[in-house]
Amino acid sequence: MKRAKRGCGLETKRQPQREAEGRERGREIRRQREAGGLGEGEEGGETEGRRGVGWGTSVPGWLGIWGSGTPCGEKRKAGGPGGTGSRREEREEPREGPGAGKGSPRGLPGMGGAASLSAPRALALWAALGAAAHIGPAPDPEDWWSYKENLQGNFVPAWSLCAVGKRQSPVDVELKRVLYDPFLPPLRLSTGGEKLRGTLYNTGRHVSFLPAPRPVVNVSGGPLLYSHRLSELRLLFGARDGAGSEHQINHQGFSAEVQLIHFNQELYGNLSAASRGPNGLAILSLFVNVAGSSNPFLSRLLNRDTITRISYKNDAYFLQDLSLELLFPESFGFITYQGSLSTPPCSETVTWILIDRVLNITSLQMHSLRLLSQNPPSQIFQSLSGNGRPLQPLAHRALRGNRDPRHPERRCRGPNYRLHVDGAPHGR
């Protein structure tokens, strides 16, 4: 009897301490969120209920083929996270008995019971919350998100636009919906007359080329009202030919897609600031298929001596003396629309420009890409291929083009269908 009373007494004395610790944790979470340092699983139930709309759904397969109109995420049902039940469960001690261990979805902080999550997602979320509580600060979400996995950042509030945004990318471009705009000027490229140099990098999600600070490479013209500075060249590809590009044309995919990511240097100081403001970003997209020949710029990036230097995640290799203008076809048209980044946080500040002439690489070069691993050498091999975002609804957005899609047989002729490079003869 005395033991029981002593136990109750200890519980009563600990209750104020528990409440104080809870209040302190809440203040710390708010401070971290305001400072932009909130990591995975750090936000409590009440905030999650207000802002934490999930953006990742379970992706069937990882070959880069998804149906048109698939949303990036799904809204949680009303009355789930953030209600009174969620706060009550957050204060309760873990229950004892069968099914109450770490694998149980019951009692997850801020999740409102098992009804709001499937068992695999609940287990993954519990593991993330446990890691944040026992190991220390959670890893930066930028380090672990992936379109290949079932867990894609459902509880990262800053990424909620990926689920609820109305101008998301990529999209399936139906040529019959393209409006011919004869007043679109040609695209212009400025390199200051210098060769491009930079670092080829295996990010664990795609192949990335990060240009050096000098020379500054700018693109303008077309639908762009300002000059945009090149920040990154990104290469995405599939596990099989004909499937690997993020965008599609008339429901047809391509083996790979090259994306040139630029930020508006006239209005913003860097890519991060530009991604949050209007007219902030411009992405030029070129499609790639497997053929007997190869584009000269891509050949330089994908030759054996270069590609084997980035076999594993975080591998990097410095390249120089690159001519970016060789990436573009001799003549081409383009289609443009307003969209978003295809990676978190899915900011809807992007002017997309899709080049309508397909580039080529050889089957050997494509095979070399598929041998790149998304993991470090200490972990099991998993191909870097097939990590593009699912197609998003186009809705009522306009598609404009500088070629009349009603007459596809007409060849692109004249200066409007060439890349204008500063200092190059004949606009090339």
PDB file of all heavy atoms in Angstrom, residues 85-103:
ATOM      1  N   GLY A  85      -8.116  15.592 -29.721  1.00  0.00           N
ATOM      2  CA  GLY A  85      -7.607  14.242 -29.500  1.00  0.00           C
ATOM      3  C   GLY A  85      -6.128  14.162 -29.717  1.00  0.00           C
ATOM      4  O   GLY A  85      -5.416  13.465 -28.995  1.00  0.00           O
ATOM      5  N   SER A  86      -5.605  14.885 -30.716  1.00  0.00           N
ATOM      6  CA  SER A  86      -4.176  14.849 -30.992  1.00  0.00           C
ATOM      7  C   SER A  86      -3.391  15.399 -29.821  1.00  0.00           C
ATOM      8  O   SER A  86      -2.386  14.849 -29.413  1.00  0.00           O
ATOM      9  CB  SER A  86      -3.858  15.663 -32.247  1.00  0.00           C
ATOM     10  OG  SER A  86      -4.470  15.072 -33.350  1.00  0.00           O
ATOM     11  N   ARG A  87      -3.855  16.530 -29.235  1.00  0.00           N
ATOM     12  CA  ARG A  87      -3.129  17.109 -28.116  1.00  0.00           C
ATOM     13  C   ARG A  87      -3.199  16.220 -26.893  1.00  0.00           C
ATOM     14  O   ARG A  87      -2.264  16.123 -26.122  1.00  0.00           O
ATOM     15  CB  ARG A  87      -3.692  18.494 -27.812  1.00  0.00           C
ATOM     16  CG  ARG A  87      -3.438  19.503 -28.926  1.00  0.00           C
ATOM     17  CD  ARG A  87      -3.707  20.905 -28.447  1.00  0.00           C
ATOM     18  NE  ARG A  87      -5.108  21.112 -28.169  1.00  0.00           N
ATOM     19  CZ  ARG A  87      -5.984  21.516 -29.075  1.00  0.00           C
ATOM     20  NH1 ARG A  87      -5.600  21.719 -30.311  1.00  0.00           N
ATOM     21  NH2 ARG A  87      -7.249  21.700 -28.745  1.00  0.00           N
ATOM     22  N   ARG A  88      -4.371  15.527 -26.689  1.00  0.00           N
ATOM     23  CA  ARG A  88      -4.491  14.652 -25.541  1.00  0.00           C
ATOM     24  C   ARG A  88      -3.538  13.475 -25.669  1.00  0.00           C
ATOM     25  O   ARG A  88      -2.870  13.083 -24.735  1.00  0.00           O
ATOM     26  CB  ARG A  88      -5.934  14.180 -25.407  1.00  0.00           C
ATOM     27  CG  ARG A  88      -6.144  13.311 -24.156  1.00  0.00           C
ATOM     28  CD  ARG A  88      -7.605  13.033 -23.898  1.00  0.00           C
ATOM     29  NE  ARG A  88      -8.238  12.351 -25.012  1.00  0.00           N
ATOM     30  CZ  ARG A  88      -9.113  12.899 -25.830  1.00  0.00           C
ATOM     31  NH1 ARG A  88      -9.442  14.163 -25.680  1.00  0.00           N
ATOM     32  NH2 ARG A  88      -9.652  12.221 -26.812  1.00  0.00           N
ATOM     33  N   GLU A  89      -3.452  12.894 -26.878  1.00  0.00           N
ATOM     34  CA  GLU A  89      -2.559  11.754 -27.072  1.00  0.00           C
ATOM     35  C   GLU A  89      -1.109  12.160 -26.905  1.00  0.00           C
ATOM     36  O   GLU A  89      -0.286  11.390 -26.458  1.00  0.00           O
ATOM     37  CB  GLU A  89      -2.763  11.170 -28.465  1.00  0.00           C
ATOM     38  CG  GLU A  89      -4.010  10.326 -28.570  1.00  0.00           C
ATOM     39  CD  GLU A  89      -4.011   9.489 -29.832  1.00  0.00           C
ATOM     40  OE1 GLU A  89      -3.194   9.759 -30.700  1.00  0.00           O
ATOM     41  OE2 GLU A  89      -4.822   8.578 -29.908  1.00  0.00           O
ATOM     42  N   GLU A  90      -0.774  13.405 -27.243  1.00  0.00           N
ATOM     43  CA  GLU A  90       0.610  13.843 -27.136  1.00  0.00           C
ATOM     44  C   GLU A  90       1.046  13.907 -25.675  1.00  0.00           C
ATOM     45  O   GLU A  90       2.209  13.725 -25.359  1.00  0.00           O
ATOM     46  CB  GLU A  90       0.757  15.208 -27.793  1.00  0.00           C
ATOM     47  CG  GLU A  90       2.191  15.611 -27.996  1.00  0.00           C
ATOM     48  CD  GLU A  90       2.259  16.873 -28.792  1.00  0.00           C
ATOM     49  OE1 GLU A  90       1.251  17.576 -28.863  1.00  0.00           O
ATOM     50  OE2 GLU A  90       3.333  17.146 -29.348  1.00  0.00           O
ATOM     51  N   ARG A  91       0.092  14.163 -24.729  1.00  0.00           N
ATOM     52  CA  ARG A  91       0.455  14.261 -23.327  1.00  0.00           C
ATOM     53  C   ARG A  91       0.505  12.908 -22.639  1.00  0.00           C
ATOM     54  O   ARG A  91       1.083  12.776 -21.575  1.00  0.00           O
ATOM     55  CB  ARG A  91      -0.572  15.155 -22.612  1.00  0.00           C
ATOM     56  CG  ARG A  91      -0.487  16.616 -22.999  1.00  0.00           C
ATOM     57  CD  ARG A  91      -1.240  17.467 -22.013  1.00  0.00           C
ATOM     58  NE  ARG A  91      -2.646  17.134 -21.987  1.00  0.00           N
ATOM     59  CZ  ARG A  91      -3.551  17.753 -22.738  1.00  0.00           C
ATOM     60  NH1 ARG A  91      -3.178  18.704 -23.563  1.00  0.00           N
ATOM     61  NH2 ARG A  91      -4.825  17.430 -22.655  1.00  0.00           N
ATOM     62  N   GLU A  92      -0.121  11.877 -23.233  1.00  0.00           N
ATOM     63  CA  GLU A  92      -0.201  10.586 -22.560  1.00  0.00           C
ATOM     64  C   GLU A  92       1.131   9.859 -22.590  1.00  0.00           C
ATOM     65  O   GLU A  92       1.930  10.023 -23.510  1.00  0.00           O
ATOM     66  CB  GLU A  92      -1.270   9.714 -23.228  1.00  0.00           C
ATOM     67  CG  GLU A  92      -2.680  10.210 -22.956  1.00  0.00           C
ATOM     68  CD  GLU A  92      -3.705   9.346 -23.692  1.00  0.00           C
ATOM     69  OE1 GLU A  92      -3.286   8.429 -24.406  1.00  0.00           O
ATOM     70  OE2 GLU A  92      -4.892   9.601 -23.516  1.00  0.00           O
ATOM     71  N   GLU A  93       1.351   9.011 -21.588  1.00  0.00           N
ATOM     72  CA  GLU A  93       2.522   8.155 -21.561  1.00  0.00           C
ATOM     73  C   GLU A  93       2.316   7.012 -22.546  1.00  0.00           C
ATOM     74  O   GLU A  93       1.185   6.625 -22.838  1.00  0.00           O
ATOM     75  CB  GLU A  93       2.699   7.569 -20.143  1.00  0.00           C
ATOM     76  CG  GLU A  93       3.100   8.596 -19.109  1.00  0.00           C
ATOM     77  CD  GLU A  93       4.525   9.044 -19.310  1.00  0.00           C
ATOM     78  OE1 GLU A  93       5.335   8.210 -19.736  1.00  0.00           O
ATOM     79  OE2 GLU A  93       4.808  10.219 -19.071  1.00  0.00           O
ATOM     80  N   PRO A  94       3.398   6.410 -23.100  1.00  0.00           N
ATOM     81  CA  PRO A  94       3.246   5.253 -23.979  1.00  0.00           C
ATOM     82  C   PRO A  94       2.533   4.128 -23.249  1.00  0.00           C
ATOM     83  O   PRO A  94       2.827   3.819 -22.103  1.00  0.00           O
ATOM     84  CB  PRO A  94       4.698   4.874 -24.321  1.00  0.00           C
ATOM     85  CG  PRO A  94       5.473   6.124 -24.097  1.00  0.00           C
ATOM     86  CD  PRO A  94       4.777   6.842 -22.983  1.00  0.00           C
ATOM     87  N   ARG A  95       1.602   3.503 -23.947  1.00  0.00           N
ATOM     88  CA  ARG A  95       0.838   2.440 -23.318  1.00  0.00           C
ATOM     89  C   ARG A  95       1.624   1.148 -23.298  1.00  0.00           C
ATOM     90  O   ARG A  95       2.435   0.886 -24.174  1.00  0.00           O
ATOM     91  CB  ARG A  95      -0.467   2.227 -24.092  1.00  0.00           C
ATOM     92  CG  ARG A  95      -1.301   3.497 -24.154  1.00  0.00           C
ATOM     93  CD  ARG A  95      -2.549   3.258 -24.943  1.00  0.00           C
ATOM     94  NE  ARG A  95      -3.327   4.489 -25.034  1.00  0.00           N
ATOM     95  CZ  ARG A  95      -4.473   4.568 -25.678  1.00  0.00           C
ATOM     96  NH1 ARG A  95      -4.964   3.516 -26.278  1.00  0.00           N
ATOM     97  NH2 ARG A  95      -5.115   5.709 -25.714  1.00  0.00           N
ATOM     98  N   GLU A  96       1.316   0.336 -22.309  1.00  0.00           N
ATOM     99  CA  GLU A  96       1.943  -0.964 -22.205  1.00  0.00           C
ATOM    100  C   GLU A  96       0.998  -2.007 -22.761  1.00  0.00           C
ATOM    101  O   GLU A  96      -0.214  -1.822 -22.840  1.00  0.00           O
ATOM    102  CB  GLU A  96       2.271  -1.278 -20.743  1.00  0.00           C
ATOM    103  CG  GLU A  96       3.282  -0.316 -20.136  1.00  0.00           C
ATOM    104  CD  GLU A  96       3.607  -0.663 -18.717  1.00  0.00           C
ATOM    105  OE1 GLU A  96       3.002  -1.627 -18.205  1.00  0.00           O
ATOM    106  OE2 GLU A  96       4.464   0.012 -18.138  1.00  0.00           O
ATOM    107  N   GLY A  97       1.588  -3.157 -23.125  1.00  0.00           N
ATOM    108  CA  GLY A  97       0.775  -4.236 -23.640  1.00  0.00           C
ATOM    109  C   GLY A  97       1.005  -4.447 -25.114  1.00  0.00           C
ATOM    110  O   GLY A  97       1.752  -3.714 -25.761  1.00  0.00           O
ATOM    111  N   PRO A  98       0.343  -5.444 -25.707  1.00  0.00           N
ATOM    112  CA  PRO A  98       0.552  -5.778 -27.114  1.00  0.00           C
ATOM    113  C   PRO A  98       0.185  -4.615 -28.025  1.00  0.00           C
ATOM    114  O   PRO A  98      -0.824  -3.946 -27.822  1.00  0.00           O
ATOM    115  CB  PRO A  98      -0.399  -6.981 -27.328  1.00  0.00           C
ATOM    116  CG  PRO A  98      -0.705  -7.493 -25.960  1.00  0.00           C
ATOM    117  CD  PRO A  98      -0.602  -6.342 -25.039  1.00  0.00           C
ATOM    118  N   GLY A  99       0.990  -4.411 -29.045  1.00  0.00           N
ATOM    119  CA  GLY A  99       0.704  -3.389 -30.058  1.00  0.00           C
ATOM    120  C   GLY A  99       0.994  -1.982 -29.625  1.00  0.00           C
ATOM    121  O   GLY A  99       0.659  -1.041 -30.316  1.00  0.00           O
ATOM    122  N   ALA A 100       1.646  -1.796 -28.449  1.00  0.00           N
ATOM    123  CA  ALA A 100       1.905  -0.429 -27.989  1.00  0.00           C
ATOM    124  C   ALA A 100       3.350  -0.035 -28.130  1.00  0.00           C
ATOM    125  O   ALA A 100       3.762   0.982 -27.641  1.00  0.00           O
ATOM    126  CB  ALA A 100       1.491  -0.304 -26.526  1.00  0.00           C
ATOM    127  N   GLY A 101       4.155  -0.824 -28.790  1.00  0.00           N
ATOM    128  CA  GLY A 101       5.576  -0.522 -28.959  1.00  0.00           C
ATOM    129  C   GLY A 101       5.785   0.521 -30.028  1.00  0.00           C
ATOM    130  O   GLY A 101       4.866   1.158 -30.500  1.00  0.00           O
ATOM    131  N   LYS A 102       7.048   0.634 -30.462  1.00  0.00           N
ATOM    132  CA  LYS A 102       7.384   1.667 -31.456  1.00  0.00           C
ATOM    133  C   LYS A 102       6.709   1.399 -32.787  1.00  0.00           C
ATOM    134  O   LYS A 102       6.525   2.277 -33.581  1.00  0.00           O
ATOM    135  CB  LYS A 102       8.900   1.736 -31.650  1.00  0.00           C
ATOM    136  CG  LYS A 102       9.596   2.393 -30.472  1.00  0.00           C
ATOM    137  CD  LYS A 102      11.048   2.606 -30.799  1.00  0.00           C
ATOM    138  CE  LYS A 102      11.762   3.290 -29.661  1.00  0.00           C
ATOM    139  NZ  LYS A 102      13.167   3.527 -29.935  1.00  0.00           N
ATOM    140  N   GLY A 103       6.409   0.160 -33.063  1.00  0.00           N
ATOM    141  CA  GLY A 103       5.790  -0.140 -34.340  1.00  0.00           C
ATOM    142  C   GLY A 103       4.321   0.192 -34.401  1.00  0.00           C
ATOM    143  O   GLY A 103       3.706   0.075 -35.449  1.00  0.00           O
TER     144      GLY A 103
END
